[in-house]
Each structure stands twice: as C-alpha cells, then as structure tokens.
C-alpha cells in the first residue's frame, strides 16, 4: 500500500499535540488524513492523563472510538498512546482489550514500526520514509517544544511521574525544527515545555538565553511567544535580557502562579515561595504594558476562607489579562492527595466561580482599552458560521487558551498577518475590521 489513512484524536496540552505531529510525520507522504475513524486504516488516540477530568475524557474517547470501530470488517487497528498510557499502562491493558496497541510516551518513536507490523498482519505493507513533523495547528503558528519532563516536585502534580525528569532538546535540533516550521509559512512560534525557564538546567547551564538569541533572527519569524514560565526562572537578569531582545519576542508572560497565600504555596511545594505580587511587579518594571496570564488552583487542602480571600485580593489587584482557575483534584500518586483538610467539591467549585466572575470584569475592562486602536492580527481560520468573518489573535492572545479576535475585511486569509482596527470589545474577545 502506498498510503495509509490515519484518523487521529489528540487530547490535552500543546506538548501532546507536538508529539502527535511527530508521530504523524513519521509516515511521510504516505499519510492521508481520515476524517472519521470508520474511514481509516489506523486510528490513533493520543491521551491526556494529567488531572481527573482529563483521565475521564480520555477513557470516554477510547471507548467511543472502539465502539465506532467494533462492527467494521476489517477493523482498523486502534492505537492508544500519551500520558494516560504512561500513567496507568498495565491497568489499561487489562480494562480495554479493544485496543490493539498501547504505546507509552517514551516509546512513541516506535509507532511507525509497530503500525507496519499491525498492517502487515492484515496484508498491507508500507515503504520506508524519512522522519519529519506534520504541523496540525492553524497555518499562522506552530508550537516549538524545547524540553520534555520536569524536575520540579510540586505536591499536587503527576507530570514528573508520567513524563519523567527534565530533558532539554539540543539547541541545534530546536533551531532546525523552527526553520522547518517557518519554511511552511508559520509566522509565530510558541515555545513550550513543562517549565520553559528551566531549559538547559539538566545539563548544568542556563541555556534559554542562548536559544532565544539563535531563534530571534530567523527569517520569517514575526512573533515569538514563551509559555509556561515558572516564577523562579523570571529573575532580573532574564527579564533584562528579554527587554533587550525585542521583536519578535512578545511581552506576553504566562506564569503559572497556582496560588497567592504563602502557606498554600509552601504546602504545594512550589519552587518559588516569595510573594507573587513581587513577581508581577518585577515583570511590569521591565515591561509596563506586558500581557500577563496565570493559572490558579482553588480548594487545595488547607485553603481556609482567609487564605482564599488572600488569593481573591491578589487577583483583584494584579489585574491579569488572562486567567484560568482549576478546582483541586487529589490525584492518585501525588503527595497532596494524602494531606489533611481536604475540601468538598462544592466549596472548590464555588471558589472557582468567584474568581472567574472577578476576572471577567477585569478582562472586559482591559480589553475595552483597545477599542479604536489599530493592531496586528494573525489570522487563524474562517468562522464556521459567518462567511467573510475570520478568527485571529492580537499579540496578547495566545492560541487555543485565550480569547480571540474576530476580523473581517479585504485580504484577510488564514495564515496572514493583517492590520485591523478594533471596533468592538467583549468580555474575552475583540471584533476588528482590516
């Protein structure tokens, strides 16, 4: 067979999506996208298993996909990989006999060979192909994963046990990956890792600065965005360097603070325990107009009403442009799951709703300040329902996690950077005319 039709479902974070892109790229020109599992020669589900809702979603997707394939003859092989497999491997094999192949993250490089074996057993053969990466994001941007795993030991987190310790990609390999993305017309590179500021630390060096110096001059790169910046890594030296670096670096800081009360931060085992206000103030000292994004966990064990009120006060004062809130989940295998003073789910959900209601007002006010301004908008895709209307992003909107800019006008096409006037602002989104 000269082609292989693959239906892929990639769940979870951008790091997982990059893994999927590398797996699909291994099939080279033989890869053909199958829109539905019933039309595929192979079905691949790349799972998430980070927190309880992600585990439930992954299991449901596997079951639904297996059911869709059950009556087919011949039945396409069902391959399941990703965080769920690395976390619960043996248990999954016993509970999901419908799956033909489970592949842990560390063995994803074997996918092509294993698929060859599955297809050969059904009478199909594939020729060899050089490894590549098949981009699956909107045409204007690409994710650039610079490291795998994490050396931080936050007590609520299972990532180190799932993805292992920090392993930084070689600089030359990252730069080559970036060039290939830009050669395909991408204008924005979004650097991702579990902790971007830790890049190179596993080799005993602070290597992020050198990497950014290599990436910034690349031909075609207009925006460079850094995601998942741990507070401890944003010292004055790094902020000073970023300020001097300038464009294409975007003054967008995604800093997962997780909480604001020192007792909760200490209990979480966060790698930084200073007042988070100091982190925010220091970033704004170097970047007065920075767009700040963060995430918080509410309902962590021992979070009294007083400690939650401290978080609420911090959100009110810090005025983040983007903010996500997650109720605490006592994850199997995490130290925090065994802590005393666990809180009921209804308390966690009520606190999440309070923070999000507070943030909605802040977001609406901040976005309102852009009305009437002309901004660059990177166009992602056409609107599904309104012909002539497109979804895009301004510099302060990261792909797939923040609000969007709805843009229309002449020469507006996916993958293009256009200048547009902001005509209307909403709670989380903008409306613009190019």
């Amino acid at each position: 067979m000269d082609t292989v039709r693959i239906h892929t479902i990639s769940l979870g974070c951008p790091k997982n999506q990059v893994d999927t892109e590398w797996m699909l790229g291994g099939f080279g020109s033989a890869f053909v996208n199958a829109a539905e599992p019933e039309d595929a020669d192979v079905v691949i589900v790349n799972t998430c298993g980070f927190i309880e809702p992600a585990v439930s979603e992954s299991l449901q997707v596997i079951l639904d996909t297996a059911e869709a394939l059950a009556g087919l003859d011949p039945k396409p092989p069902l391959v399941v990989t990703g965080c769920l497999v690395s976390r619960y491997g043996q248990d999954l094999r016993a509970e999901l006999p419908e799956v033909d192949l489970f592949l842990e993250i560390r063995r994803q490089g074997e996918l092509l060979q294993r698929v060859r074996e599955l297809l050969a057993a059904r009478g199909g053969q594939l020729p060899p192909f050089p490894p590549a990466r098949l981009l699956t994001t909107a045409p204007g941007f690409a994710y650039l994963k610079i490291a795998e795993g994490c050396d931080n030991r936050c007590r609520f987190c299972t990532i180190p046990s799932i993805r292992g310790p920090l392993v930084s990609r070689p600089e030359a390999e990252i730069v080559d990956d970036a060039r290939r993305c830009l050669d395909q017309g991408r204008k924005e590179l979004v650097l991702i890792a579990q902790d971007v500021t830790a890049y190179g630390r596993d080799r005993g060096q602070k290597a992020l600065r050198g990497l950014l110096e290599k990436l910034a001059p690349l031909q075609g790169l207009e925006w460079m965005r850094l995601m998942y910046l741990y507070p401890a890594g944003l010292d004055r030296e790094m902020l000073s360097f970023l300020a001097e670096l300038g464009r294409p670096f975007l003054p967008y800081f995604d800093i997962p603070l997780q909480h604001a009360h020192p007792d909760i931060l200490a209990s979480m085992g966060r790698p930084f325990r200073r007042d988070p206000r100091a982190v925010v103030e220091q970033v704004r000292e170097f970047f007065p107009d920075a767009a700040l994004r963060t995430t918080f966990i509410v309902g962590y064990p021992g979070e009294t009403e007083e400690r939650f009120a401290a978080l609420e006060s911090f959100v009110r004062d810090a005025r983040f442009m983007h903010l996500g809130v997650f109720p605490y989940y006592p994850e199997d295998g995490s130290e925090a799951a065994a802590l005393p003073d666990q809180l009921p789910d209804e308390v966690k959900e009520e606190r999440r709703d309070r923070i999000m209601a507070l943030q909605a007002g802040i977001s609406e006010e901040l976005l309102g300040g852009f009305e009437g301004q002309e901004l660059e908008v990177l166009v992602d895709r056409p609107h599904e329902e309104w012909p002539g209307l497109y979804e895009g992003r301004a510099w302060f909107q990261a792909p797939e996690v923040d609000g969007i800019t709805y843009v229309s006008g002449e020469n507006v096409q996916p993958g293009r950077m256009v200048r547009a006037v902001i005509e209307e602002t909403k709670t989380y989104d903008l409306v613009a005319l190019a």
Side-chain angles (χ1 to χ4, degrees):
M1 56 195 306
D2 296 324
T3 61
V4 55
R5 298 168 299 170
I6 303 177
H7 178 75
T8 309
I9 304 172
S10 190
L11 305 172
C13 67
K15 295 180 286 295
N16 231 30
Q17 186 171 351
V18 172
D19 292 343
T20 299
E21 291 176 343
W22 279 108
M23 286 188 285
L24 293 179
F27 292 89
S29 60
F31 169 78
V32 175
N33 181 58
E36 301 296 334
E38 297 91 334
D39 301 326
D41 299 311
V42 179
V43 177
I44 301 172
V45 180
N46 194 3
T47 61
C48 181
F50 177 42
I51 56 177
E52 182 181 303
V55 171
S56 298
E57 180 190 21
S58 292
L59 289 172
Q60 191 59 56
V61 167
I62 295 169
L63 291 171
D64 290 346
T65 305
E67 183 178 358
L69 300 177
L72 302 180
D73 185 20
K75 183 181 85 68
L78 175 57
V79 179
V80 176
T81 185
C83 290
L84 189 75
V85 180
S86 292
R87 186 175 180 184
Y88 297 113
Q90 294 302 322
D91 293 337
L92 292 177
R93 290 175 176 85
E95 295 295 328
L96 296 168
E98 305 93 333
V99 176
D100 297 283
L101 173 63
F102 287 101
L103 209 56
E104 296 179 5
I105 294 170
R106 61 185 177 85
R107 300 181 63 185
Q108 286 177 342
E110 303 173 15
L111 176 70
L112 179 58
Q113 181 57 37
R114 300 297 296 275
V115 167
R116 288 184 192 279
E117 294 168 1
L118 290 170
L119 294 177
R122 292 162 168 76
Q125 296 288 342
L126 277 175
F129 301 103
R133 177 182 168 197
L134 179 68
L135 299 181
T136 60
T137 55
F141 80 96
Y143 291 114
L144 192 64
K145 185 157 72 167
I146 66 172
E148 183 61 273
C150 186
D151 284 345
N152 298 320
R153 290 296 180 264
C154 304
R155 300 177 79 184
F156 56 83
C157 184
T158 57
I159 288 296
S161 64
I162 295 173
R163 288 189 171 263
L166 173 69
V167 179
S168 301
R169 288 180 72 191
E171 183 183 271
E173 183 180 301
I174 297 171
V175 174
D176 183 61
D177 191 4
R179 284 198 182 98
R180 291 175 184 272
C181 293
L182 296 171
D183 287 346
Q184 294 180 60
R186 266 48 180 185
K187 294 176 173 58
E188 176 184 8
L189 294 178
V190 183
L191 274 64
I192 56 173
Q194 200 62 34
D195 177 359
V196 162
T197 58
Y199 176 73
R201 203 174 293 162
D202 51 317
R203 296 197 289 266
Q205 53 186 301
K206 293 183 178 180
L208 181 59
R209 177 171 177 165
L211 174 63
L212 297 180
E213 288 175 331
K214 293 288 197 309
L215 293 174
L218 292 181
Q219 185 72 30
L221 179 59
E222 298 194 33
W223 286 357
M224 182 168 62
R225 191 184 307 272
L226 311 185
M227 303 291 287
Y228 318 121
L229 302 166
Y230 268 52
L234 281 178
D235 54 24
R236 299 185 67 85
E237 180 183 357
M238 175 54 69
L239 289 168
S240 177
F241 164 73
L242 293 174
E244 293 174 4
L245 186 64
R247 184 89 180 238
F249 169 75
L250 297 177
Y252 175 102
F253 292 84
D254 174 32
I255 312 170
L257 294 170
Q258 308 301 12
H259 213 276
H261 196 282
D263 292 346
I264 297 296
L265 288 169
S267 179
M268 285 178 167
R270 295 290 286 160
F272 111 103
R273 295 195 181 95
R274 293 179 297 152
D275 181 357
R277 294 174 189 267
V279 176
V280 172
E281 290 169 1
Q282 187 165 275
V283 170
R284 286 180 171 152
E285 177 186 343
F286 287 88
F287 296 91
D289 299 320
L292 267 60
R293 176 177 223 285
T294 194
T295 51
F296 292 118
I297 296 173
V298 295
Y300 189 83
E303 186 191 63
T304 62
E305 184 61 40
E306 178 186 1
R307 289 167 174 170
F308 173 73
L311 173 60
E312 209 169 18
S313 175
F314 174 59
V315 171
R316 187 178 295 109
D317 295 341
R319 295 176 63 78
F320 294 97
M321 181 162 282
H322 309 288
L323 186 153
V325 184
F326 300 91
Y328 166 74
Y329 297 100
E331 295 299 324
D332 293 339
S334 68
E335 291 184 46
L339 289 175
D341 302 320
Q342 301 278 338
L343 301 180
D345 290 343
E346 55 268 26
V347 171
K348 302 174 189 176
E349 292 165 5
E350 187 266 341
R351 291 180 178 177
R352 175 196 60 198
D353 293 345
R354 280 166 60 181
I355 295 291
M356 288 310 300
L358 173 60
Q359 176 61 24
I362 294 171
S363 175
E364 187 171 5
E365 186 176 339
L366 290 176
L367 290 185
F370 291 102
E371 188 168 352
Q373 291 190 26
E374 185 180 68
L375 300 174
E376 287 182 316
V377 177
L378 183 55
V379 184
D380 284 335
R381 61 184 63 84
H383 193 280
E384 291 184 353
E385 298 179 6
W386 296 92
L389 184 64
Y390 292 81
E391 297 177 5
R393 296 174 291 105
W395 68 266
F396 48 81
Q397 295 171 318
E400 301 176 336
V401 290
D402 297 334
I404 58 179
T405 298
Y406 294 100
V407 59
S408 58
E410 294 184 8
N411 300 317
V412 177
Q413 293 292 332
R416 287 186 178 176
M417 186 85 76
V418 299
R419 296 199 67 85
V421 176
I422 306 303
E423 296 197 317
E424 183 182 355
T425 64
K426 301 178 181 294
T427 302
Y428 298 113
D429 303 324
L430 302 171
V431 180
L433 179 63

